[in-house]
């Protein structure tokens, strides 16, 4: 495999894309065949739950593998050093938009929050711009967009990307306007500044293919348990939870549903791979799209583990402002989306 990718990288990419597409198209009929072979009625609750699990599990894994591989190649252009160099010295507002956009194509998650935050501060990146990046990177990443595209189609994926970017840009800009640099921990404020240099990106196509494979091993290898767990929960909701019950809790008619969804989502520990299959099942049972997207955004962008990590570099008041501003943005997104959809 390695020899082929290095000798004929373009041929490898073309053949791999054809095989991936053919496999993806076979997944739904294959899941129906598997359920038909089992001693359960397809129309029963158990049969419905099993078909959901047997179809969504390989579908999500195949889709995620393909997208993560492509994004791994793209990410080879965006090292932490290069990202800092792009953001440093930009005009506020424009820099917030650039930071949020870079959050989509860079392989950073909440686990990288502290070292990235420190690096941005040392490079002279404004606080609000740093927050725009840190909001967008986990919330509007390749995993979230790939799963949304596979489960809901390109329109929902694009809408989610637009809404997520809007929340990241506006929230970062607001935090920047509040001038809260004094609420960084003292040791962070006192760090020496440096001038970031762009990293060398002169990699060959075979090397970028290797980077794609490395990304698949790292990301898919890390998130597959969350995928199985999320799809299992989604399958249970899909097969057994009554539609009327879910609609009464998370439907459009419940005016408090968006706020409740955010409050439930903030203390949860999950990522896009685990939460999106649950979102799919909730929608199928009558939950409003704006409500479940708000729930998803709060889980991914305001997770409790990320807040614990950020506590190492931020004082409590700045963390509270960060949570409040982002939560308000998500709340507006949820209500607007429910009103227009």
């Amino acid at each position: 495999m390695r020899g082929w990718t290095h000798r004929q990288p373009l041929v490898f990419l073309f053949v791999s894309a054809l095989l991936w597409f053919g496999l993806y198209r076979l997944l739904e009929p294959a899941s129906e065949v598997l359920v038909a072979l089992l001693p359960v009625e397809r129309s029963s609750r158990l049969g419905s739950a099993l078909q959901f699990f047997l179809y969504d599990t390989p579908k999500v894994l195949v889709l995620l593998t393909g997208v993560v591989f492509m994004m791994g190649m793209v990410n080879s252009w965006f090292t932490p050093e290069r990202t800092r160099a792009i953001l440093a010295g930009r005009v506020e507002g424009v820099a917030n938009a650039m930071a949020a956009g870079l959050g989509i194509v860079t392989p950073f998650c909440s686990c990288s929050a502290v070292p990235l935050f420190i690096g941005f501060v040392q490079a002279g990146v404004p606080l609000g711009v740093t927050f725009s990046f840190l909001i967008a990177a986990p919330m509007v990443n390749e995993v979230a967009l790939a799963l949304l595209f596979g489960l809901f189609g390109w329109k929902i994926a694009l809408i989610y990307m637009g809404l997520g970017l809007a929340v990241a840009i506006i929230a970062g800009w607001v935090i920047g306007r509040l001038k809260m640099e004094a609420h960084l921990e003292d040791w962070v404020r006192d760090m020496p500044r440096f001038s970031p240099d762009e990293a060398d990106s002169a990699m060959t196509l075979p090397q970028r293919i290797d980077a794609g494979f490395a990304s698949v091993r790292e990301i898919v290898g890390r998130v597959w348990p969350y995928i199985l767990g999320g799809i299992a929960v989604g399958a249970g909701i899909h097969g057994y939870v009554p539609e009327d019950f879910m609609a009464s809790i998370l439907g459009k008619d419940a005016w408090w549903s968006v706020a409740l969804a955010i409050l439930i989502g903030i203390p949860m520990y999950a990522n896009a791979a685990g939460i999106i299959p649950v979102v799919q099942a909730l929608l199928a049972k009558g939950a409003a799209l704006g409500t479940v997207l708000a729930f998803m955004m709060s889980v991914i962008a305001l997770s409790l583990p990320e807040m614990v990590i950020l506590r190492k570099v931020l004082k409590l008041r700045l963390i509270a402002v960060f949570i409040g501003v982002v939560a308000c943005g998500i709340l507006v997104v949820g209500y607007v989306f429910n009103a227009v959809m």
Side-chain angles (χ1 to χ4, degrees):
M1 176 69 74
R2 182 178 178 84
W4 185 21
T5 62
H6 280 242
R7 288 194 305 270
Q8 297 177 308
L10 291 176
V11 175
F12 168 79
L13 291 174
F14 179 74
V15 173
S16 298
L18 290 179
L19 292 175
W20 181 91
F21 183 75
L23 176 61
Y24 187 78
R25 293 295 298 271
L26 288 174
L27 294 178
E28 185 170 10
S31 68
E32 294 290 353
V33 170
L34 286 175
V35 174
L37 294 174
L38 297 175
V40 297
E41 289 291 333
R42 173 63 180 85
S43 58
S44 67
R45 291 182 174 180
L46 179 59
S48 178
L50 286 173
Q51 195 279 331
F52 183 98
F53 185 83
L54 292 175
Y55 174 46
D56 273 39
T57 300
K59 176 182 178 181
V60 167
L61 289 173
V62 168
L63 183 65
L64 189 60
T65 298
V67 173
V68 168
F69 175 79
M70 291 188 297
M71 292 306 300
M73 295 180 64
V74 173
N75 290 339
S76 64
W77 276 277
F78 294 99
T79 62
E81 294 78 12
R82 189 175 183 85
T83 303
R84 291 196 296 264
I86 291 172
L87 294 179
R90 304 290 179 176
V91 177
E92 192 178 18
V94 174
N96 290 101
M98 291 179 62
L102 284 171
I104 299 176
V105 297
T106 46
F108 310 128
C109 62
S110 59
C111 302
S112 308
V114 170
L116 279 173
F117 198 100
I118 294 171
F120 285 0
V121 170
Q122 284 186 297
V125 177
L127 187 62
V129 176
T130 298
F131 274 113
S132 286
F133 180 87
L134 292 180
I135 295 167
M139 186 164 64
V140 194
N141 59 35
E142 69 269 30
V143 175
L145 295 177
L147 297 183
L148 285 171
F149 173 77
L151 299 178
F152 305 118
W154 64 268
K155 290 183 179 180
I156 297 301
L158 284 179
I159 290 172
Y160 177 81
M161 182 177 71
L163 295 175
L165 287 175
V167 170
I169 293 168
I170 296 172
W173 183 84
V174 169
I175 292 173
R177 292 287 87 197
L178 293 176
K179 304 295 183 183
M180 300 195 68
E181 285 77 7
H183 296 283
L184 294 170
E185 288 292 344
D186 294 340
W187 68 271
V188 177
R189 292 202 315 272
D190 296 338
M191 287 186 309
R193 300 295 188 262
F194 65 82
S195 178
D197 297 320
E198 293 193 11
D200 181 16
S201 59
M203 296 176 65
T204 64
L205 181 57
Q207 288 174 324
R208 298 195 191 282
I209 291 175
D210 290 342
F213 280 122
S215 185
V216 169
R217 288 192 296 270
E218 178 186 355
I219 295 177
V220 179
R222 187 177 67 243
V223 305
W224 71 264
Y226 296 99
I227 292 175
L228 293 182
I231 293 175
V233 172
I237 295 172
H238 184 80
Y240 291 94
V241 175
E243 292 186 17
D244 292 343
F245 172 78
M246 193 56 64
S248 67
I249 300 297
L250 297 178
K252 289 185 179 181
D253 294 335
W255 63 267
W256 39 262
S257 63
V258 177
L260 177 63
I262 294 173
L263 290 175
I264 294 173
I266 288 176
M268 290 185 65
Y269 176 48
N271 56 22
I275 205 64
I276 290 180
V278 177
V279 167
Q280 180 191 20
L282 292 173
L283 287 174
K285 288 299 181 178
L289 183 55
T291 302
V292 294
L293 286 182
F295 169 70
M296 174 181 162
M297 285 181 169
S298 65
V299 170
I300 298 174
L302 296 173
S303 67
L304 184 60
E306 183 177 2
M307 298 305 107
V308 173
I309 293 171
L310 285 176
R311 179 64 186 89
K312 297 178 182 179
V313 293
L314 308 179
K315 294 181 179 178
L316 289 175
R317 181 174 295 183
L318 183 49
I319 290 179
V321 169
F322 169 61
I323 293 174
V325 171
V326 176
C328 287
I330 295 173
L331 188 71
V332 171
V333 165
Y335 280 122
V336 170
F337 211 85
N338 281 347
V340 301
M341 294 297 289

